[in-house]
Amino acid sequence: MTLPTFFEPLLAEQYGASDVQRIIAGCNVRRAATLRANTLKATREDIAVQLDAAGIRWKPVSWYADAFVIEGAREDAIRALPAYEDGGLYLQSLSSMIPALVLGARAGEDVCDMCAAPGGKTSQIAALSGGKALVMACEMHAPRAEKLEHNLRKLGAANSNVMRTDARRLDDFFSFDRILLDAPCSGSGTLRTSDANLHKRFTPTLVEKSRKAQRALLGKALALLKPGGTLVYSTCSVLTCENEDIVRECLSRTPRGASYEIEPIELPGADDMPMLPVTLEGCLALCPTDLYEGFFVAKVARQK
């Protein structure tokens, strides 16, 4: 199946021809299964032992010690492992592991995951803080909130509480040291030409609907961030209109008296990531490949 006709012209508006072709090529490959050790319940070594015992080949990830790339096996083989059943590992794309790493939550901090279901990033935030950050995980849709609660229990994220609400409606009396906004988006970085529903699912209407939600959510996130706090905005999109443009727009109309700046993203060992050019210095964008989904991450610090 071909990609929707409106997609390539959008890409051509923001990327050179070689990057457009890289992105299109990434839509035509099957991505490897990837996972992370959930250190709330298991160590990296525990997971490596189970993979080896099951005859599942894997390789490490240079920028994240708890991540594994699976070679020659699919997700069903991972789901058969005891560590999957007891929450010792979590199947997660490499790209979606990045936002929680960039967020850098610490023990004792108040953290909000604004669009939390199904819970991968929430549980990763908990694990990276040693289970000692206080995480409020928001999800507005009841079935997704139930799945989120189930996953957080399974993964042992005891200090994470689910709030069944639209994060856009959070009261301004809330304030957080760190906020993760993995915003709803068009999913343009995850497109696969093998998807039979691709043309129905990925449309200009979806892009515009996503932009509206992104603006409202990021505006709310900026208002709820404490002075000295850190906000991470991410999407699984490769479109500037959902990424840099949203960040610029929201930073241009921040609450009176507040001051924010983009902080450069630094991930030691990430030199082999398939980077795309960005139009907002300090942000990170990834090209879809056989290992990575197309992704965007921005880190914002509030000074006052």
Side-chain angles (χ1 to χ4, degrees):
M1 180 174 291
T2 59
L3 291 166
T5 55
F6 78 95
F7 185 44
E8 189 168 345
L10 274 182
L11 295 177
E13 290 176 5
Q14 68 182 83
Y15 296 112
S18 62
D19 287 324
V20 171
Q21 291 309 308
R22 288 172 63 208
I23 293 168
I24 292 173
C27 298
N28 285 286
V29 298
R30 186 175 187 178
R31 273 178 275 282
T34 57
L35 61 90
R36 62 174 173 83
N38 171 30
T39 55
L40 294 169
K41 286 197 165 185
T43 66
R44 177 188 185 280
E45 290 71 25
D46 293 333
I47 303 308
V49 167
Q50 287 200 27
L51 291 171
D52 291 342
I56 298 172
R57 293 183 292 111
W58 58 273
K59 63 181 180 181
V61 176
S62 59
W63 47 268
Y64 190 14
D66 294 330
F68 296 76
V69 174
I70 303 305
E71 298 183 306
R74 304 309 302 169
E75 292 185 355
D76 286 349
I78 305 303
R79 293 190 180 97
L81 297 175
Y84 178 83
E85 185 62 31
D86 64 24
L89 66 82
Y90 189 80
L91 283 163
Q92 188 173 1
S93 76
L94 292 182
S95 298
S96 70
M97 297 179 196
I98 296 170
L101 287 172
V102 173
L103 188 68
R106 297 189 291 256
E109 291 184 327
D110 292 314
V111 182
C112 182
D113 186 350
M114 293 185 74
C115 302
K121 296 178 184 68
T122 309
S123 61
Q124 187 185 6
I125 291 168
L128 290 167
S129 70
K132 296 179 180 179
L134 306 175
V135 186
M136 185 172 83
C138 298
E139 177 51 52
M140 62 185 288
H141 298 293
R144 288 173 58 81
E146 290 173 6
K147 180 67 173 177
L148 172 61
E149 290 171 339
H150 168 78
N151 281 337
L152 294 180
R153 285 194 301 269
K154 178 180 177 180
L155 297 167
N159 282 347
S160 300
N161 297 302
V162 175
M163 179 172 282
R164 297 191 179 200
T165 188
D166 183 341
R168 290 171 287 194
R169 298 195 177 104
L170 286 173
D171 195 289
D172 286 346
F173 73 76
F174 285 108
S175 62
F176 300 95
D177 299 295
R178 300 186 192 256
I179 298 175
L180 174 60
L181 172 53
D182 186 50
C185 72
S186 67
S188 65
T190 67
L191 301 183
R192 293 179 60 185
T193 52
S194 59
D195 179 1
N197 295 313
L198 177 59
H199 288 256
K200 293 181 181 179
R201 183 173 60 82
F202 182 66
T203 64
T205 300
L206 175 62
V207 174
E208 286 308 311
K209 180 180 178 181
S210 299
R211 281 170 45 79
K212 182 178 179 180
Q214 290 155 4
R215 283 192 294 265
L217 284 162
L218 184 52
K220 173 61 72 172
L222 291 167
L224 299 181
L225 188 63
K226 294 179 182 178
T230 298
L231 161 69
V232 170
Y233 173 82
S234 62
T235 74
C236 55
S237 178
V238 293
L239 298 176
T240 300
C241 64
E242 297 184 81
N243 298 334
E244 295 100 317
D245 290 355
I246 296 296
V247 175
R248 280 196 196 90
E249 181 180 341
C250 290
L251 288 179
S252 72
R253 49 183 177 83
T254 53
R256 181 175 296 179
S259 175
Y260 304 83
E261 69 176 24
I262 301 290
E263 283 197 349
I265 293 172
E266 298 179 357
L267 280 176
D271 293 342
D272 60 350
M273 283 184 178
M275 300 291 188
L276 286 170
V278 293
T279 62
L280 193 57
E281 188 175 355
C283 298
L284 178 152
L286 297 179
C287 183
T289 68
D290 59 336
L291 294 182
Y292 291 86
E293 295 176 336
F295 220 80
F296 174 82
V297 186
K299 183 179 183 180
V300 179
R302 179 172 180 177
Q303 280 72 50
K304 61 180 181 178

